[in-house]
Amino acid sequence: MVQFGSGTGWIALSDGGVVPGMAGDDALARGVFTAEIRLPVEGPVVLLDRRDAAGDEVFSILHDTVAGLSVLHRRGGRLARHELPGPLPVGRATARMNFAWDGARDRWRLEFGLLAPEGGPLQGRVEAQGRGVLALGAGMLADLCAGRGQRDAAVLWFGVTEGALPVRRGWIGPRSKVRTARGPVAAEALRPGEVVVTREGLVPILGITRHVVPGRGSFQPVLLRAPWFAETDILVSGEQLVRVQGPEAEYLFGEEEVLVPAGLLVDGQSALAEGRRAVVSGLSLDLGGAELMDVAGCVLCSEPPPGLSLPLRLLDRYEVVPLMAQLGRLPQRAVG
Protein backbone atom coordinates (compact mmCIF):
# COMPACT_ATOMS: atom_id res chain seq x y z
CA MET A 1 0.00 0.00 0.00
CA VAL A 2 1.23 3.51 -0.79
CA GLN A 3 1.42 5.53 2.40
CA PHE A 4 1.76 9.25 2.99
CA GLY A 5 4.98 10.20 4.78
CA SER A 6 6.08 13.78 5.29
CA GLY A 7 2.83 14.99 3.75
CA THR A 8 0.70 13.71 6.63
CA GLY A 9 2.40 16.02 9.11
CA TRP A 10 1.01 19.14 7.43
CA ILE A 11 -2.32 20.66 8.33
CA ALA A 12 -1.56 23.51 5.94
CA LEU A 13 1.38 24.41 3.71
CA SER A 14 2.09 27.65 1.87
CA ASP A 15 1.13 27.36 -1.79
CA GLY A 16 -0.18 23.88 -1.00
CA GLY A 17 -3.52 24.50 0.71
CA VAL A 18 -5.29 23.10 3.75
CA VAL A 19 -5.67 19.38 4.29
CA PRO A 20 -9.01 17.83 3.27
CA GLY A 21 -11.57 17.50 6.03
CA MET A 22 -11.19 21.01 7.47
CA ALA A 23 -14.07 23.32 6.60
CA GLY A 24 -13.73 27.08 6.42
CA ASP A 25 -15.52 27.62 9.74
CA ASP A 26 -13.42 25.04 11.61
CA ALA A 27 -10.84 26.22 14.12
CA LEU A 28 -7.55 24.61 15.04
CA ALA A 29 -7.32 24.66 18.83
CA ARG A 30 -3.77 23.32 18.89
CA GLY A 31 -0.89 23.50 16.43
CA VAL A 32 2.49 24.90 15.41
CA PHE A 33 2.90 27.63 12.80
CA THR A 34 6.39 27.43 11.27
CA ALA A 35 8.04 29.77 8.79
CA GLU A 36 11.54 29.90 7.33
CA ILE A 37 12.94 33.33 6.55
CA ARG A 38 15.90 34.38 4.45
CA LEU A 39 18.14 36.74 6.43
CA PRO A 40 19.19 39.49 6.67
CA VAL A 41 15.87 41.33 7.02
CA GLU A 42 16.41 45.08 7.16
CA GLY A 43 14.33 47.13 9.60
CA PRO A 44 10.83 46.35 10.86
CA VAL A 45 9.10 44.08 8.32
CA VAL A 46 5.62 42.58 8.24
CA LEU A 47 6.38 39.00 7.25
CA LEU A 48 2.75 37.90 6.89
CA ASP A 49 -0.56 39.70 7.23
CA ARG A 50 -4.06 38.52 6.40
CA ARG A 51 -7.42 40.00 7.31
CA ASP A 52 -10.60 38.19 6.27
CA ALA A 53 -13.22 40.00 4.21
CA ALA A 54 -15.42 40.81 7.21
CA GLY A 55 -12.48 41.87 9.36
CA ASP A 56 -13.45 39.29 11.99
CA GLU A 57 -10.06 37.55 11.94
CA VAL A 58 -6.60 39.03 11.56
CA PHE A 59 -3.28 37.15 11.63
CA SER A 60 -0.06 39.16 11.35
CA ILE A 61 3.65 38.54 12.03
CA LEU A 62 6.12 41.40 12.47
CA HIS A 63 9.91 40.92 12.44
CA ASP A 64 12.28 43.52 13.88
CA THR A 65 15.88 42.47 14.58
CA VAL A 66 16.14 44.95 17.47
CA ALA A 67 12.63 44.91 18.94
CA GLY A 68 11.93 41.21 18.33
CA LEU A 69 9.15 39.08 16.86
CA SER A 70 5.44 39.79 17.26
CA VAL A 71 2.41 37.66 16.37
CA LEU A 72 -0.95 39.42 16.38
CA HIS A 73 -4.13 37.37 16.17
CA ARG A 74 -7.68 38.73 16.37
CA ARG A 75 -10.71 36.45 16.13
CA GLY A 76 -14.31 36.72 17.22
CA GLY A 77 -13.87 40.05 18.98
CA ARG A 78 -10.85 38.87 20.94
CA LEU A 79 -7.28 40.05 20.42
CA ALA A 80 -4.08 38.20 21.33
CA ARG A 81 -0.58 39.63 20.89
CA HIS A 82 2.41 37.35 21.42
CA GLU A 83 5.82 39.00 21.81
CA LEU A 84 9.35 37.61 21.59
CA PRO A 85 11.61 40.46 22.75
CA GLY A 86 14.75 41.19 20.71
CA PRO A 87 17.43 41.33 19.75
CA LEU A 88 16.95 38.46 17.32
CA PRO A 89 19.89 36.40 15.96
CA VAL A 90 21.24 37.78 12.69
CA GLY A 91 23.47 36.57 9.86
CA ARG A 92 23.41 35.77 6.17
CA ALA A 93 21.49 32.59 6.83
CA THR A 94 18.06 31.00 6.94
CA ALA A 95 16.08 31.50 10.13
CA ARG A 96 13.10 29.58 11.42
CA MET A 97 10.29 30.80 13.62
CA ASN A 98 7.87 28.51 15.44
CA PHE A 99 4.65 29.75 17.00
CA ALA A 100 2.94 27.00 19.01
CA TRP A 101 -0.43 27.33 20.67
CA ASP A 102 -2.59 25.04 22.80
CA GLY A 103 -6.13 26.24 23.50
CA ALA A 104 -6.91 23.51 26.04
CA ARG A 105 -3.96 24.56 28.22
CA ASP A 106 -4.19 28.23 27.22
CA ARG A 107 -0.47 28.31 26.49
CA TRP A 108 1.64 29.68 23.63
CA ARG A 109 5.34 29.53 22.77
CA LEU A 110 7.29 31.59 20.26
CA GLU A 111 10.87 30.78 19.21
CA PHE A 112 13.32 32.05 16.60
CA GLY A 113 16.78 30.88 15.55
CA LEU A 114 19.13 30.12 12.69
CA LEU A 115 19.12 26.77 10.90
CA ALA A 116 22.14 24.59 11.69
CA PRO A 117 24.08 23.16 8.70
CA GLU A 118 23.38 19.58 9.75
CA GLY A 119 19.86 20.20 11.02
CA GLY A 120 19.20 19.76 14.72
CA PRO A 121 18.58 22.54 17.27
CA LEU A 122 18.31 26.13 16.08
CA GLN A 123 21.43 28.21 16.55
CA GLY A 124 21.22 31.32 18.70
CA ARG A 125 17.67 30.33 19.63
CA VAL A 126 15.54 32.80 21.61
CA GLU A 127 12.16 31.92 23.10
CA ALA A 128 9.16 33.39 24.87
CA GLN A 129 5.95 31.85 26.17
CA GLY A 130 2.79 32.83 27.98
CA ARG A 131 -0.98 32.53 28.27
CA GLY A 132 -3.89 33.83 26.24
CA VAL A 133 -4.33 32.03 22.89
CA LEU A 134 -6.91 31.93 20.11
CA ALA A 135 -7.77 29.06 17.80
CA LEU A 136 -6.60 29.63 14.21
CA GLY A 137 -9.45 29.30 11.72
CA ALA A 138 -9.28 26.98 8.71
CA GLY A 139 -10.54 29.79 6.50
CA MET A 140 -7.64 31.98 7.59
CA LEU A 141 -5.19 29.16 6.93
CA ALA A 142 -6.66 28.62 3.47
CA ASP A 143 -6.38 32.32 2.68
CA LEU A 144 -2.76 32.47 3.81
CA CYS A 145 -1.81 29.38 1.80
CA ALA A 146 -3.60 30.69 -1.29
CA GLY A 147 -1.59 33.91 -1.17
CA ARG A 148 -4.53 36.10 -0.20
CA GLY A 149 -2.80 38.67 1.97
CA GLN A 150 0.59 40.26 2.45
CA ARG A 151 3.70 38.08 2.35
CA ASP A 152 7.21 39.50 2.42
CA ALA A 153 9.73 38.13 -0.10
CA ALA A 154 11.96 37.03 2.80
CA VAL A 155 9.44 34.31 3.75
CA LEU A 156 10.62 31.14 1.99
CA TRP A 157 7.68 29.03 3.14
CA PHE A 158 5.32 28.53 6.05
CA GLY A 159 3.16 25.70 7.27
CA VAL A 160 1.08 24.42 10.16
CA THR A 161 1.51 21.06 11.87
CA GLU A 162 -0.02 19.46 14.93
CA GLY A 163 3.39 19.12 16.56
CA ALA A 164 6.92 18.59 15.31
CA LEU A 165 7.87 19.28 11.70
CA PRO A 166 7.87 16.29 9.33
CA VAL A 167 11.28 14.63 9.33
CA ARG A 168 13.49 15.39 6.33
CA ARG A 169 13.99 12.08 4.53
CA GLY A 170 15.62 10.72 1.40
CA TRP A 171 13.30 10.53 -1.60
CA ILE A 172 13.30 10.59 -5.41
CA GLY A 173 11.10 12.49 -7.84
CA PRO A 174 7.93 10.75 -9.05
CA ARG A 175 9.14 10.64 -12.66
CA SER A 176 12.56 9.19 -11.85
CA LYS A 177 13.10 5.89 -13.67
CA VAL A 178 13.95 3.06 -11.27
CA ARG A 179 15.51 -0.09 -12.69
CA THR A 180 13.21 -3.04 -12.04
CA ALA A 181 12.99 -6.64 -13.19
CA ARG A 182 10.73 -5.48 -16.05
CA GLY A 183 12.93 -2.53 -17.01
CA PRO A 184 13.04 1.17 -16.05
CA VAL A 185 9.80 2.28 -14.39
CA ALA A 186 8.83 5.77 -13.18
CA ALA A 187 8.76 5.86 -9.38
CA GLU A 188 5.14 7.07 -9.39
CA ALA A 189 4.12 3.91 -11.29
CA LEU A 190 5.73 1.51 -8.82
CA ARG A 191 3.68 -0.53 -6.37
CA PRO A 192 4.58 -2.69 -3.36
CA GLY A 193 5.65 -6.13 -4.56
CA GLU A 194 7.45 -4.73 -7.61
CA VAL A 195 10.98 -6.17 -7.84
CA VAL A 196 13.84 -3.65 -7.96
CA VAL A 197 17.31 -4.45 -9.31
CA THR A 198 19.90 -3.68 -6.61
CA ARG A 199 23.60 -4.27 -6.07
CA GLU A 200 22.75 -7.41 -4.09
CA GLY A 201 20.19 -8.73 -6.56
CA LEU A 202 16.43 -8.56 -7.00
CA VAL A 203 14.63 -7.02 -4.00
CA PRO A 204 10.85 -6.55 -3.68
CA ILE A 205 9.39 -3.22 -2.61
CA LEU A 206 7.83 -3.58 0.83
CA GLY A 207 6.22 -0.16 0.89
CA ILE A 208 6.19 3.25 -0.75
CA THR A 209 5.97 6.56 1.12
CA ARG A 210 4.90 9.78 -0.54
CA HIS A 211 6.41 13.01 0.76
CA VAL A 212 4.99 16.49 0.24
CA VAL A 213 7.33 19.26 1.38
CA PRO A 214 8.20 22.90 0.73
CA GLY A 215 10.43 23.41 -2.29
CA ARG A 216 12.57 26.02 -0.55
CA GLY A 217 14.54 26.49 2.64
CA SER A 218 15.65 23.44 4.60
CA PHE A 219 13.45 21.10 2.52
CA GLN A 220 14.76 22.37 -0.84
CA PRO A 221 15.40 19.45 -3.23
CA VAL A 222 18.39 18.87 -5.50
CA LEU A 223 18.46 18.37 -9.26
CA LEU A 224 21.21 15.89 -10.17
CA ARG A 225 22.20 16.78 -13.71
CA ALA A 226 22.94 14.58 -16.68
CA PRO A 227 25.51 13.47 -17.67
CA TRP A 228 27.41 14.04 -14.40
CA PHE A 229 25.19 11.80 -12.27
CA ALA A 230 22.57 10.13 -14.44
CA GLU A 231 21.32 9.55 -17.96
CA THR A 232 18.66 12.22 -17.41
CA ASP A 233 18.19 14.90 -14.76
CA ILE A 234 16.67 13.47 -11.59
CA LEU A 235 15.09 15.26 -8.65
CA VAL A 236 15.97 14.05 -5.15
CA SER A 237 15.76 15.38 -1.61
CA GLY A 238 18.82 16.95 -0.03
CA GLU A 239 18.97 13.96 2.34
CA GLN A 240 19.01 11.33 -0.42
CA LEU A 241 22.29 9.38 -0.34
CA VAL A 242 24.13 9.34 -3.67
CA ARG A 243 26.96 6.93 -4.61
CA VAL A 244 30.11 8.75 -5.74
CA GLN A 245 32.93 6.63 -7.14
CA GLY A 246 36.29 7.03 -8.81
CA PRO A 247 40.00 7.55 -8.14
CA GLU A 248 39.24 10.78 -6.27
CA ALA A 249 37.32 8.90 -3.58
CA GLU A 250 39.98 6.19 -3.37
CA TYR A 251 42.78 8.77 -3.11
CA LEU A 252 41.10 10.69 -0.28
CA PHE A 253 39.35 7.98 1.69
CA GLY A 254 40.82 4.65 0.58
CA GLU A 255 37.38 3.63 -0.72
CA GLU A 256 36.42 3.19 -4.37
CA GLU A 257 32.85 4.22 -3.57
CA VAL A 258 31.34 6.50 -0.94
CA LEU A 259 27.90 7.87 -0.11
CA VAL A 260 27.17 11.60 -0.03
CA PRO A 261 23.91 13.39 0.85
CA ALA A 262 22.69 15.10 -2.32
CA GLY A 263 22.48 18.47 -0.59
CA LEU A 264 26.25 18.51 -0.15
CA LEU A 265 26.85 17.94 -3.88
CA VAL A 266 25.33 21.26 -4.97
CA ASP A 267 27.87 23.11 -7.15
CA GLY A 268 25.66 25.10 -9.50
CA GLN A 269 26.52 22.90 -12.49
CA SER A 270 26.38 19.16 -11.92
CA ALA A 271 23.94 19.46 -9.02
CA LEU A 272 21.53 22.36 -8.56
CA ALA A 273 19.50 23.54 -5.59
CA GLU A 274 16.07 23.25 -7.20
CA GLY A 275 13.77 26.05 -6.04
CA ARG A 276 11.44 26.62 -8.98
CA ARG A 277 8.44 24.98 -7.32
CA ALA A 278 6.99 26.13 -4.02
CA VAL A 279 5.79 22.63 -3.11
CA VAL A 280 7.37 19.38 -4.28
CA SER A 281 6.53 15.71 -3.86
CA GLY A 282 8.71 12.64 -3.87
CA LEU A 283 8.68 8.94 -3.13
CA SER A 284 10.84 6.76 -0.95
CA LEU A 285 11.01 2.99 -1.40
CA ASP A 286 11.14 0.60 1.51
CA LEU A 287 13.40 -2.24 0.38
CA GLY A 288 13.85 -3.68 3.84
CA GLY A 289 17.39 -2.35 4.16
CA ALA A 290 19.97 0.03 2.72
CA GLU A 291 20.06 -1.11 -0.89
CA LEU A 292 22.01 0.43 -3.76
CA MET A 293 19.56 0.89 -6.63
CA ASP A 294 19.88 2.26 -10.14
CA VAL A 295 17.79 5.36 -10.85
CA ALA A 296 18.28 6.55 -14.45
CA GLY A 297 21.89 5.41 -14.28
CA CYS A 298 22.59 7.05 -10.93
CA VAL A 299 23.21 4.77 -7.96
CA LEU A 300 21.18 5.84 -4.92
CA CYS A 301 20.88 4.22 -1.51
CA SER A 302 17.51 3.40 -0.02
CA GLU A 303 17.05 4.40 3.60
CA PRO A 304 17.70 1.56 6.05
CA PRO A 305 15.48 0.78 9.03
CA PRO A 306 16.89 1.92 12.40
CA GLY A 307 19.85 -0.17 13.51
CA LEU A 308 20.89 -1.38 10.06
CA SER A 309 24.20 -0.18 8.61
CA LEU A 310 24.89 1.42 5.22
CA PRO A 311 26.62 -0.59 2.47
CA LEU A 312 29.22 2.14 1.85
CA ARG A 313 31.01 4.76 3.88
CA LEU A 314 28.94 7.92 4.44
CA LEU A 315 31.00 11.09 4.19
CA ASP A 316 30.73 13.90 6.71
CA ARG A 317 30.19 17.46 5.52
CA TYR A 318 33.83 18.42 6.01
CA GLU A 319 34.97 15.42 3.93
CA VAL A 320 32.85 16.40 0.94
CA VAL A 321 34.75 19.68 0.36
CA PRO A 322 38.08 18.07 -0.65
CA LEU A 323 36.21 15.44 -2.68
CA MET A 324 34.42 18.15 -4.66
CA ALA A 325 37.74 19.91 -5.19
CA GLN A 326 39.30 16.70 -6.52
CA LEU A 327 36.34 16.29 -8.86
CA GLY A 328 36.95 19.80 -10.17
CA ARG A 329 33.69 21.20 -8.83
CA LEU A 330 33.27 24.30 -6.69
CA PRO A 331 30.84 23.58 -3.85
CA GLN A 332 28.11 26.11 -3.25
CA ARG A 333 26.01 26.53 -0.13
CA ALA A 334 24.60 23.14 0.67
CA VAL A 335 20.83 22.69 0.73
CA GLY A 336 19.36 23.21 4.16
Side-chain angles (χ1 to χ4, degrees):
M1 178 169 127
V2 179
Q3 298 181 340
F4 281 80
S6 299
T8 55
W10 303 108
I11 295 171
L13 183 59
S14 53
D15 308 292
V18 182
V19 297
M22 284 192 70
D25 56 352
D26 287 343
L28 189 63
R30 178 178 180 271
V32 181
F33 184 99
T34 299
E36 289 188 356
I37 303 132
R38 182 187 293 111
L39 299 181
V41 175
E42 302 296 339
V45 173
V46 176
L47 297 177
L48 284 171
D49 184 88
R50 171 61 186 167
R51 299 151 194 268
D52 65 12
D56 294 330
E57 186 168 13
V58 176
F59 188 77
S60 184
I61 302 174
L62 174 67
H63 175 283
D64 188 316
T65 301
V66 177
L69 199 64
S70 175
V71 176
L72 183 147
H73 188 198
R74 183 172 70 212
R75 189 170 196 266
R78 295 179 58 198
L79 176 67
R81 185 185 297 273
H82 314 292
E83 305 279 355
L84 172 58
L88 300 176
V90 296
R92 192 165 294 277
T94 299
R96 179 184 290 164
M97 66 151 285
N98 293 312
F99 170 58
W101 72 96
D102 188 334
R105 300 175 56 203
D106 191 31
R107 300 289 301 181
W108 61 267
R109 178 175 54 83
L110 189 56
E111 67 173 355
F112 187 92
L114 307 182
L115 293 181
E118 301 290 349
L122 297 176
Q123 297 179 337
R125 187 179 70 90
V126 289
E127 177 183 345
Q129 53 186 318
R131 294 186 177 278
V133 297
L134 301 176
L136 194 60
M140 174 59 69
L141 284 178
D143 286 346
L144 286 168
C145 292
R148 292 187 285 268
Q150 180 180 345
R151 174 178 173 180
D152 190 80
V155 179
L156 297 171
W157 64 270
F158 60 86
V160 177
T161 59
E162 290 187 3
L165 275 178
V167 177
R168 290 155 52 184
R169 308 287 291 271
W171 52 257
I172 59 178
R175 297 181 181 179
S176 302
K177 296 293 184 70
V178 179
R179 187 183 175 197
T180 71
R182 61 186 173 102
V185 178
E188 61 188 355
L190 293 172
R191 295 293 181 267
E194 182 92 52
V195 176
V196 173
V197 179
T198 75
R199 173 77 60 87
E200 300 302 319
L202 301 179
V203 178
I205 298 174
L206 302 181
I208 301 174
T209 302
R210 179 172 179 245
H211 306 269
V212 179
V213 296
R216 303 183 179 113
S218 60
F219 287 93
Q220 187 171 29
V222 175
L223 189 67
L224 299 177
R225 301 290 307 280
W228 287 277
F229 287 100
E231 298 159 358
T232 60
D233 294 353
I234 57 174
L235 188 71
V236 299
S237 70
E239 291 67 43
Q240 176 60 56
L241 300 184
V242 182
R243 190 276 310 268
V244 177
Q245 66 172 348
E248 297 85 1
E250 187 171 14
Y251 170 73
L252 289 170
F253 311 111
E255 305 278 354
E256 293 183 358
E257 303 171 294
V258 293
L259 292 174
V260 180
L264 299 182
L265 295 171
V266 173
D267 64 352
Q269 182 179 16
S270 65
L272 307 179
E274 176 57 79
R276 291 177 293 180
R277 285 170 285 183
V279 177
V280 295
S281 62
L283 300 165
S284 59
L285 309 181
D286 179 4
L287 301 180
E291 300 286 351
L292 296 173
M293 56 183 179
D294 184 314
V295 180
C298 181
V299 177
L300 304 178
C301 186
S302 64
E303 188 170 344
L308 292 186
S309 60
L310 295 171
L312 301 174
R313 176 179 174 179
L314 175 63
L315 297 189
D316 288 321
R317 177 179 290 263
Y318 73 90
E319 294 177 304
V320 178
V321 176
L323 176 61
M324 295 286 279
Q326 286 287 324
L327 291 170
R329 303 171 189 171
L330 180 64
Q332 294 187 349
R333 182 185 66 84
V335 173

